[in-house]
Amino acid sequence: MRTFTGIAASPGIAVGRLCVIDRRRAAISEYTVAPEAVSSEISRLHAAVAVTRHDLESLKTRLVTSAGEDHLFFIETHLLILADERLVSETIAIIETGLINAEGALRRTLHRYQEIFSSMDDPYLRERISDVETVIERVLRSMIGEAHAEMPQHQGQTIVAAHDITPADILQLDRTNVIGFVTEIGGRTSHTSILARAFEMPAVAGVEGIADPLFDGLPVIVDGINGCVIINPDSQTFQDCLSRKQHYEYIEFELLKNAGLPAETADGHPMLLKGNVELPEEGASVLRHGGSGAGLYRTEMLFMNRSSMPDEEEQYQIYLAMQQAVAPHPLTVRTLDAGGDKLLEGMQGDSEQNPALGVRAVRLSLSMPDEFKKQLRAILRISASGPVSIMFPMISGMEELAQAKNLLEQAKSELTAENIRFDADMRIGVMIEIPSAVILGDLLSREVDFFSVGTNDLIQYSLAIDRSNEHLSHMYQPLHPAVLRSLRQIVRDAHAAGIDACLCGEMAGDPLYLPVLLGLGFDELSMNAASLPRVKQILRRITHERAVRIAEGCFAFKTAAEVDMYLKREITLDVAESFD
Ligand code: PEP
Ligand code: MG
C-alpha cells in the first residue's frame, strides 16, 4: 500500500483501477543507415503511417458512439494531415539523401514544418503546427512500438492518472467508466478541477509521481475530500474508505432533500444562488441541486477539441439547449474565455511566455471581431426565447468594455436589419477579475447592468499566484485581506451605481465564505451545482444581520490565517453541522 497526498480538487471518494496516461514525447534517436537499409526504413515509415491511420479511424468510430459527432473535428484534421503526400515524400527524401533512419528523418521533417509555420503571419495558421506535431508524434510512437496515450475508453471503474489532464481531455473522457482522476500538476481552481467538480468526479491534483507507469492497473482509492490517493489499499484501509464514501454520499443525499427550499436567510433576506455550467447536460443538475438558474455559462467548452470555430447557427443551437435546460430560470452567458489554461486546438500555450497574462478571454475575442460577432449574435438570438444576460470576461478597463459593447451594438443592428428577433434590453455585465477593473469599479459600474466577480482569476492576479501551480496552492488565499478589501469595494461600487453584485468564482461554493459574502452585500452567488445545497443550508441558518457583523469583523485582521481562524470560531453552533 502507498499513500500520496495532493490537493483536494473535486470532492467525493472513488474506488477503481488506475490507468496511467503517458504523455511524454516519443523517445527516439537519429542514426545513419547503410545504403542497402534505405528501402526497409522507407517500408517502416509507410507501415507506421498506415497503423496510425488505422488507430485514428478506430478512435473516430469509438468517439462517434461515446462523445457524439461534435468532438470529432480534431480527429478528422489529424487524418487529413496524415493523408498529405508531402509528409511522407519529404521524409523519404531525407532517408535517401541523408542515409538517416526513418524516425530521425521524420523528426527532421517535423522541424522543417515547425520553421515554416512559425514564420506565418496569421497567428491562427501559425498555431496549426500543434496538430502536425500531434500526428507526427503518433507516427513516431508507432515506429518504436509505443501506443499513443489516448484518453482511455476503458470498461469498468477507471481512475485516470497523468502528469496533466487538460479541460479538452476531460471532455473526451468516457465518463460512464472513468470515475475519477489524479494529476501531478494543477490546483483547486484550475479549469481541469472546475470541470471535475462540474461532472461530480472525485479528483486530486498536485500528486507528484502518480503518473509512474508502474502503477498502471493497480487498485486505487481517490479521496477528493482529504486530497489523498492510496494505491494497493490494504483491507482495513479499503473498509475505512468505503464507509467514509457511504457517509459522504449519505450527507449529500440528505442535503439534496432540502435543496428546493427558498434561498433566504433565517430572517428572510433573499440571495440568488445559481449554478456554473459548461455543457447543456449540467443544467438539470443545477435545478436538482436547488439553483435558480445559471450565473456563469462557460461557453469556451464548445470551442474545444475541434479545428475550426463553431458557426453562429451551431452556437445558437447549443446556447438554446442550455437555456432550455435551466428554463424557466435565467441564464448568464459568458463570451469566449479561451487561453490561459483553456487552450483551443491550434492555440499553443508555450508560444506565449505567460499565457495567463496573454491573449486570452475578451482580448482574444476582440482580436477576431468577425468570430466574436457570431457569438454575440447567437447569444442575442436566444434572448428572444427566455431571460438571458451576457457578460464579458477579463475586462481590464474602459476601452475594452467599449469595444465589446460596440460589437454587441453592431450585432444588434445586423439582427434588426435581418428581422431576427432578440431582447433589445438584454442585461450586460462585466466580470471583475483583474485588479485594474476593481480600481475602476466606479467607472465600469456606470456602463453595465451587473458585476460578476471571478475570484479564481481575481485572486490569481491580485496575489500574483498562478491558480494552476500546485507549489503555490497554500498561498492562494481567498481570505487574504487584499482580496476581502477588493470584494468590499466591488460591492460598494456596484450598489452605488444601482447594479447587482454577483460572484461566480469557486469562492462562492465554499460554505465557510457564505457569511462573509452575504455580509459584504453580494446579491447573487453562482457555483458548481454540487455545492448549492450546502451553501443554501448555511444561508438558511444565518441571519443577515449576523452575517454583516461577521463580514465587518474580518477587516480587523491582518492576515488570511487570522481571518480563517476568526471565521471558523464565529461560525460554530448554528451552522457547524454542514461542515461534517
Ligand atoms: C473566475 O475567474 O473566477 C471565473 C469564474 O472564471 P474562470 O474560472 O472560467 O476563469
Ligand atoms: Mg476567470
Side-chain angles (χ1 to χ4, degrees):
M1 176 166 110
R2 256 185 92 171
T3 304
F4 294 79
T5 51
I7 299 161
S10 175
I13 297 176
V15 181
R17 289 211 174 260
L18 201 65
C19 170
V20 177
I21 311 281
D22 183 2
R23 285 287 175 80
R24 291 164 308 171
R25 279 177 80 202
I28 61 119
S29 44
E30 179 181 312
Y31 49 89
T32 41
V33 292
E36 53 278 19
V38 162
S39 65
S40 78
E41 289 302 306
I42 293 174
S43 310
R44 285 179 59 232
L45 175 68
H46 282 305
V49 169
V51 168
T52 307
R53 184 176 308 113
H54 172 265
D55 288 351
L56 281 172
E57 298 280 9
S58 35
L59 178 63
K60 188 172 147 189
T61 318
R62 280 206 308 273
L63 284 183
V64 171
T65 41
S66 66
E69 294 274 357
D70 291 356
H71 293 144
L72 298 180
F73 291 91
F74 73 105
I75 302 180
E76 269 153 20
T77 312
H78 291 180
L79 280 166
L80 280 176
I81 293 170
L82 204 57
D84 184 350
E85 255 309 299
R86 277 167 305 177
L87 186 70
V88 174
S89 61
E90 286 176 21
T91 306
I92 291 177
I94 296 171
I95 298 174
E96 285 173 342
T97 54
L99 295 179
I100 287 172
N101 64 323
E103 296 92 318
L106 188 55
R107 264 272 156 78
R108 285 191 184 205
T109 307
L110 173 59
H111 291 156
R112 236 180 59 72
Y113 279 112
Q114 283 165 331
E115 277 167 20
I116 297 171
F117 276 70
S118 68
S119 63
M120 287 178 179
D121 287 335
D122 180 338
Y124 185 74
L125 285 180
R126 201 164 54 230
E127 285 157 1
R128 309 311 316 149
I129 186 65
S130 70
D131 285 319
V132 180
E133 285 165 346
T134 307
V135 172
I136 292 186
E137 283 302 322
R138 268 180 178 276
V139 180
L140 285 170
R141 278 182 179 270
S142 317
M143 261 185 223
I144 58 173
E146 276 183 15
H148 177 82
E150 302 294 359
M151 282 291 112
Q153 307 289 317
H154 283 185
Q155 293 305 313
Q157 314 261 288
T158 302
I159 287 158
V160 171
H163 179 64
D164 186 18
I165 297 178
T166 65
D169 287 334
I170 299 216
L171 293 176
Q172 284 181 58
L173 285 177
D174 166 11
R175 294 197 294 276
T176 46
N177 290 310
V178 177
I179 53 164
F181 63 81
V182 195
T183 53
E184 293 188 323
I185 64 168
R188 233 192 86 76
T189 56
S190 69
H191 285 96
T192 301
S193 302
I194 289 173
L195 275 182
R197 291 194 286 277
F199 298 145
E200 296 180 49
M201 274 183 171
V204 180
V207 183
E208 234 178 285
I210 198 68
D212 189 326
L214 279 179
F215 300 140
D216 191 48
L218 296 182
V220 66
I221 296 170
V222 172
D223 178 346
I225 304 164
N226 296 310
C228 75
V229 180
I230 305 161
I231 291 184
N232 264 340
D234 60 29
S235 59
Q236 185 58 48
T237 311
F238 189 70
Q239 287 308 328
D240 290 350
C241 280
L242 279 188
S243 58
R244 282 196 309 110
K245 180 171 156 61
Q246 266 173 358
H247 179 67
Y248 173 81
E249 286 165 3
Y250 167 74
I251 299 241
E252 293 297 295
F253 177 74
E254 285 298 306
L255 280 166
L256 262 185
K257 285 188 187 161
N258 292 327
L261 294 175
E264 59 185 25
T265 58
D267 51 347
H269 181 93
M271 188 184 214
L272 277 169
L273 299 183
K274 296 184 180 171
N276 293 348
V277 288
E278 287 77 19
L279 302 174
E281 53 259 41
E282 293 170 66
S285 165
V286 169
L287 302 191
R288 191 163 46 86
H289 287 89
S292 49
L296 165 64
Y297 172 15
R298 291 185 166 97
T299 54
E300 45 278 8
M301 304 308 157
L302 171 61
F303 292 69
M304 289 182 173
N305 289 327
R306 54 191 301 158
S307 54
S308 60
M309 299 265 177
D311 64 17
E312 177 186 324
E313 188 55 27
E314 184 181 351
Q315 292 189 51
Y316 169 70
Q317 293 297 344
I318 296 280
Y319 302 159
L320 193 62
M322 183 63 97
Q323 183 182 52
Q324 284 162 356
V326 297
H329 300 286
L331 170 68
T332 302
V333 185
R334 178 176 72 182
T335 61
L336 181 64
D337 184 13
D341 65 342
K342 286 179 291 196
L343 296 182
L344 306 183
E345 287 277 309
M347 260 178 119
Q348 264 187 318
D350 41 5
S351 70
E352 284 190 323
Q353 289 283 340
N354 265 313
L357 305 181
V359 188
R360 58 168 292 201
V362 80
R363 302 168 188 177
L364 179 68
S365 296
L366 290 172
S367 74
M368 39 182 200
D370 291 341
E371 292 297 333
F372 193 20
K373 237 188 302 160
K374 285 180 199 163
Q375 180 167 44
L376 298 175
R377 284 172 57 108
I379 298 169
L380 279 166
R381 282 173 60 192
I382 62 159
S383 72
S385 37
V388 173
S389 306
I390 188 171
M391 66 182 177
F392 302 115
M394 301 258 316
I395 291 286
S396 65
M398 299 294 278
E399 300 94 329
E400 267 171 345
L401 177 58
Q403 286 169 34
K405 281 177 72 178
N406 184 24
L407 284 170
L408 185 65
E409 282 311 311
Q410 285 181 30
K412 284 182 179 176
S413 308
E414 287 173 14
L415 291 176
T416 307
E418 293 163 37
N419 265 332
I420 299 177
R421 285 192 324 121
F422 64 92
D423 173 9
D425 298 321
M426 183 176 72
R427 280 166 26 103
I428 303 174
V430 275
M431 287 198 70
I432 306 289
E433 42 190 353
I434 301 184
S436 60
V438 179
I439 295 166
L440 294 182
D442 58 330
L443 299 181
L444 291 167
S445 61
R446 290 181 216 144
E447 299 297 322
V448 291
D449 302 305
F450 65 97
F451 280 167
S452 189
V453 188
T455 45
N456 306 338
D457 278 315
L458 183 60
I459 297 168
Q460 152 163 276
Y461 297 125
S462 299
L463 306 182
I465 299 295
D466 177 352
R467 62 194 266 191
S468 305
N469 186 330
E470 66 280 11
H471 301 296
L472 294 175
S473 63
H474 62 290
M475 291 182 72
Y476 187 91
Q477 296 168 326
L479 296 178
H480 192 291
V483 175
L484 292 180
R485 285 171 191 224
S486 295
L487 295 179
R488 180 172 63 181
Q489 191 56 44
I490 293 164
V491 177
R492 283 181 180 162
D493 285 335
H495 288 174
I499 65 169
D500 286 342
C502 314
L503 190 148
C504 62
E506 291 303 294
M507 199 176 170
D510 188 326
L512 182 66
Y513 305 146
L514 183 274
V516 183
L517 302 177
L518 171 67
L520 285 175
F522 278 98
D523 305 290
E524 170 183 317
L525 302 181
S526 192
M527 64 202 76
N528 67 78
S531 297
L532 280 162
R534 259 200 178 73
V535 170
K536 189 183 279 187
Q537 189 183 54
I538 307 285
L539 177 70
R540 290 181 55 79
R541 285 183 183 180
I542 200 162
T543 62
H544 183 247
E545 184 244 318
R546 178 147 182 256
V548 170
R549 242 185 319 110
I550 291 177
E552 276 168 5
C554 292
F555 292 92
F557 300 98
K558 297 191 182 74
T559 67
E562 287 169 10
V563 181
D564 186 70
M565 236 184 319
Y566 157 74
L567 273 184
K568 286 185 177 142
R569 205 180 52 227
E570 277 294 314
I571 308 165
T572 45
L573 290 174
D574 49 354
V575 290
E577 276 170 51
S578 301
F579 295 103
D580 284 353

